[in-house]
């Protein structure tokens, strides 16, 4: 009977399913695990420090995944996740510096602090769309000012120095390779956890409330509570990422976690693709490597003075470059890089849309 | 007293500014019956559904569902209690597949939380599999089994209405509210819908139906309630209501006036 076969096809798990579901992640894992072994042979010739940068990609991936759950799946925008990173970074650093708590514990505590603060401000989730964006913007500004002005605790603009390195019970992670593995193992686990999350009743609930809150409620979904939960989870991810950031850089100040950072995080989500867990890696990769590639290009053509000029001026140009990239992607590839490309391979559909044709795009 | 009724609505009123969209409405619904609510456009039928399901809160009155006054309950709590609905203006999750839409309907009847889901613990896997099976059963019931993998957006209008029905059924309701399920359907589809409504009733689900298609209402319902300007103007068997002068006036009166006004 047709129906029976249908049930079998869709509902029942078959032997190959595990492999099929995990093929992509396995390839990614192998790539990540072996990367430090061969990256050196690529790094040199192209003048990009891959390993150093890949640590950052891992950190940003963690935040971007959370932000993607919040924005891409649940449809709730946040301009405050840079601030949650800052909160995590400061919480972890201060606990390690002042209270001498081991770093593997301060990282967990940093996540808790970020969650607590997200719960305190969670009433703003009753706001919708632009209003929520404005409220989270307010939160980002307040956090920045508080970090700057609470000088007795945070030393203000001067920042915190000598932040201890990452550690596991008994071992301090000192090498760049060690940090790379530390960060990426966490990032990978978070990717898998989040992927599982979206392929479940919880992920469906998020997508449902994104589309129609009334219909979602009618299906028994406590929409306001789900928004709070996913907001808190994404804050935990951001707090974790902030803590990792602090412990690999050993120096932080409030300026790092300004609104700029929140916007760049959003750029990653949009670039990678809304409602796309793996896209977060793509978004983070582009954001981290784009400046380095731009910086290296003149070098490839033997023009050192241009490289010099570029690295001196890049930080001023960065917002503009990302602005341009963002606008181009929004116009031509509104479903993001990963979705656009996977659509291309799966349906042989061009990843580019013609913006002049109405109704094209997502 | 109130426990004896499956659903009992008492003196329910909903004001929008100065307009009483639902005005002192009282009625009751017997378990296992099919009751229709009819009335001219703007009579307050959809608003009444919104009040029952908790999407809107009434200004006064009470709603007794299985002996409990559910006024003040949130929509998701009422879904948990076993009331579900379809929408007059279709409210599907268009970016999800047909199957996923119905799977969302199982939300109220499942419990896996973040850790179980994130780590794919056995409880989650068992539950997820049951969700899929139940959802497919409901899709099959409304005849959409073969569309399971399509995006909800891509279905025809009639199929989308059926999908809403499947999704509402997936919540395992005791009472289902159908808001104009026949709107936009052709005669063949309406006939199918009628059989479907009987099937739903035979599953032990009580049906409350808002419908403009009088042919369907007269044949399918055990009882009919007539609203006009937010008030109950008649209640009884389809035959009683059809012959009620007040009902005829409410329907025809409007038309005659409109006719006169324009001509
Ligand atoms: N959210 C709202 N705010 C203000 N007025 C409303 C609102 N919802 C409904 N109304 C008004 O309440 C009245 C009843 O509307 P309702 O949608 O319940 O009618 P209905 O019987 O379902 O009509 P139809 O047969 O056209 O679907 C109408 O006059 C409508 O304009
Ligand atoms: Mg209506």
């Amino acid at each position: 009977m047709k129906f029976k076969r249908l049930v079998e096809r869709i509902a029942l798990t078959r032997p190959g399913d595990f492999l099929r579901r995990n093929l992509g992640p396995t390839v990614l894992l192998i790539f990540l695990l072996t990367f430090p072994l061969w990256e050196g042979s690529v790094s040199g010739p192209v003048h990009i420090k891959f390993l150093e940068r890949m640590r950052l990609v891992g950190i940003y991936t963690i935040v971007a995944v959370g932000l993607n759950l919040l924005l891409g799946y649940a449809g709730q925008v946040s301009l405050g996740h840079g601030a949650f990173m800052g909160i995590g970074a400061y919480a972890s650093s201060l606990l390690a510096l002042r209270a001498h708590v081991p770093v593997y514990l301060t990282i967990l505590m940093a996540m808790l602090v970020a969650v607590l603060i997200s719960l305190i401000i969670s009433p703003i989730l009753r706001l919708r769309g632009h209003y929520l964006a404005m409220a989270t913007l307010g939160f980002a500004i307040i956090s920045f000012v508080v970090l700057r002005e609470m000088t007795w605790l945070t030393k203000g603009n001067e920042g915190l120095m000598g932040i201890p390195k990452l550690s596991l019970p008994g071992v301090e992670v000192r090498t760049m390779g060690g940090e790379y593995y530390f960060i990426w193992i966490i990032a990978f686990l978070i990717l898998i956890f989040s992927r599982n999350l979206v392929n479940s009743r919880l992920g469906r609930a998020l997508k449902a409330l994104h589309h129609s809150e009334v219909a979602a409620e009618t299906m028994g979904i406590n929409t306001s509570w789900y928004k709070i939960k996913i907001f808190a989870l994404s804050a935990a991810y951001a707090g974790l990422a902030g803590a990792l950031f602090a412990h690999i850089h050993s120096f932080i100040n409030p300026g790092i976690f300004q609104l700029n950072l929140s916007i760049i995080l959003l750029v990653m989500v949009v670039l990678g693709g809304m409602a796309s867990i793996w896209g977060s890696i793509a978004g983070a990769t582009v954001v981290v490597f784009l400046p380095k590639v731009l910086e290296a290009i003149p070098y490839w053509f033997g023009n050192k003075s241009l490289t010099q000029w570029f690295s001196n001026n890049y930080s001023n140009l960065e917002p503009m470059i990302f602005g341009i990239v963002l606008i181009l992607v929004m116009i031509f590839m509104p479903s993001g890089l990963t979705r656009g490309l996977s659509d291309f391979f799966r349906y042989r559909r061009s990843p580019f849309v013609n913006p002049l044709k109405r109704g094209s795009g997502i | 007293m109130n426990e004896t009724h499956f659903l009992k609505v008492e003196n329910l009123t909903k004001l929008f500014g100065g307009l009483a969209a639902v005005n002192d409405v009282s009625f009751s619904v017997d378990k296992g019956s099919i009751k229709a609510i009819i009335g001219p456009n703007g009579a307050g039928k959809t608003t009444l559904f919104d009040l029952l399901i908790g999407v809107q809160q009434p200004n006064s009155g009470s709603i007794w569902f299985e002996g409990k006054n559910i006024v003040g309950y949130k929509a998701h709590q009422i879904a948990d209690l076993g009331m579900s609905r379809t929408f007059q203006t279709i409210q599907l999750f268009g970016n999800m597949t047909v199957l996923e839409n119905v799977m969302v309907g199982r939300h109220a009847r499942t419990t896996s939380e973040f850790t179980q889901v994130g780590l794919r613990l056995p409880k989650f896997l068992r539950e997820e599999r049951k969700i899929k099976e139940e959802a497919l059963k409901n899709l099959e019931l409304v005849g959409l089994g073969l569309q399971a993998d399509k995006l909800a957006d891509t279905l025809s209008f009639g199929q989308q209405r059926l999908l809403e029905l499947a999704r509402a059924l997936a919540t395992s309701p005791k009472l289902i509210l159908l808001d104009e399920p026949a709107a936009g359907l052709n005669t063949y589809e309406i006939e199918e819908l009628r059989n479907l409504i009987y099937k739903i009733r035979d599953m032990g689900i009580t049906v409350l139906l808002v419908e403009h298609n009088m042919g369907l209402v007269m044949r399918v319902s055990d009882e009919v309630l007539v609203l006009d300007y937010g008030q109950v103007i008649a209640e009884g068997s389809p035959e009683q209501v059809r012959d009620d002068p007040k009902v005829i006036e409410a329907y025809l009166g409007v038309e005659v006036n409109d006719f006169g006004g324009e001509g």
Side-chain angles (χ1 to χ4, degrees), chain B residues 164-193:
Chain B
E164 277 225 342
L165 191 55
R167 187 181 64 176
L169 288 172
T171 67
S172 300
K174 295 169 186 160
L175 171 64
I176 192 167
L177 315 180
L178 308 178
D179 201 345
E180 302 198 14
L185 301 194
N186 61 36
T187 33
Y188 172 74
E189 288 170 323
I190 289 174
E191 204 50 37
E192 293 278 287
L193 177 68

Side-chain angles (χ1 to χ4, degrees), chain A residues 215-327:
Chain A
E217 278 277 331
T218 311
M219 298 301 119
I221 296 164
N222 187 346
T223 52
S224 40
W225 181 221
Y226 267 95
K227 285 193 230 170
I228 293 173
K229 284 201 274 197
I230 209 64
F231 189 57
L233 183 71
S234 68
Y237 286 3
L240 167 67
L244 294 172
F245 183 90
H247 293 291
I248 67 168
H249 283 101
S250 79
F251 167 77
I252 53 171
N253 71 5
I256 299 172
F257 307 105
Q258 279 188 73
L259 186 62
N260 233 350
L261 177 60
S262 296
I263 292 173
I264 288 196
L265 294 172
L266 284 180
V267 171
M268 291 180 203
V269 173
V270 174
L271 280 183
M274 302 276 225
S276 153
I277 292 294
W278 305 108
S280 308
I281 305 179
T285 307
V286 171
V287 167
V288 169
F289 280 107
L290 185 65
K292 294 296 147 189
V293 171
L294 291 178
E295 200 176 309
I297 288 175
Y299 216 100
W300 300 346
F301 299 103
N303 190 338
K304 285 204 180 126
S305 56
L306 198 57
T307 312
Q308 197 55 41
W309 177 88
F310 194 85
S311 47
N312 290 342
N313 292 282
Y314 178 73
S315 55
N316 301 329
L317 296 177
E318 184 171 51
M320 190 183 80
I321 291 171
F322 281 126
I324 292 171
V325 171
L326 191 59
I327 290 171

